[in-house]
């Protein structure tokens, strides 16, 4: 749980021949309801769009290589609160 006026850093372990990582975020634990919020060629992504009302976010990472999308990661749950 972190204050909602701060950024969330999503850090993943390198998956080998990855071209880039697609980062998704949703308000439930169901991936199909998540939206892509960014792409990174690095293993770290900073979500600075976390301001607003207290909220719980679910994040997923999908690695992409020359063959296409990889496996969807397990979700990362972040609860934001006001201070």
């Amino acid at each position: 749980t972190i204050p909602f006026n701060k950024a969330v850093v999503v850090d993943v372990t390198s998956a080998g021949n990855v071209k880039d990582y697609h980062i998704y975020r949703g308000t439930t634990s169901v991936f199909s309801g998540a939206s892509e919020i960014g792409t990174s060629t690095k293993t770290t992504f900073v979500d600075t769009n976390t301001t607003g009302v207290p909220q719980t976010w679910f994040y997923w990472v999908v690695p992409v290589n020359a063959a296409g999308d990889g496996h969807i990661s397990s979700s990362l749950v972040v609860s934001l609160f006001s201070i």
Side-chain angles (χ1 to χ4, degrees), residues 17-19 64-68:
N17 294 324
V18 174
K19 181 175 71 169
V64 177
N65 61 21

Side-chain angles (χ1 to χ4, degrees), residues 1-79:
T1 306
I2 60 173
F4 69 78
N5 62 341
K6 305 295 181 190
V8 173
V9 178
V10 178
D11 192 24
V12 299
T13 303
S14 177
N17 294 324
V18 174
K19 181 175 71 169
D20 53 39
Y21 298 90
H22 292 237
I23 314 301
Y24 292 81
R25 182 180 70 193
T27 56
T28 71
S29 62
V30 180
F31 176 76
S32 62
S35 298
E36 185 173 346
I37 60 168
T39 302
S40 179
T41 57
K42 301 181 186 318
T43 57
T44 300
F45 177 82
V46 179
D47 181 8
T48 57
N49 189 19
T50 59
T51 59
V53 298
Q55 178 71 50
T56 297
W57 294 109
F58 295 80
Y59 290 86
W60 293 266
V61 178
V62 178
V64 177
N65 61 21
D69 288 347
H71 296 285
I72 300 166
S73 70
S74 297
S75 65
L76 164 69
V77 182
V78 177
S79 294

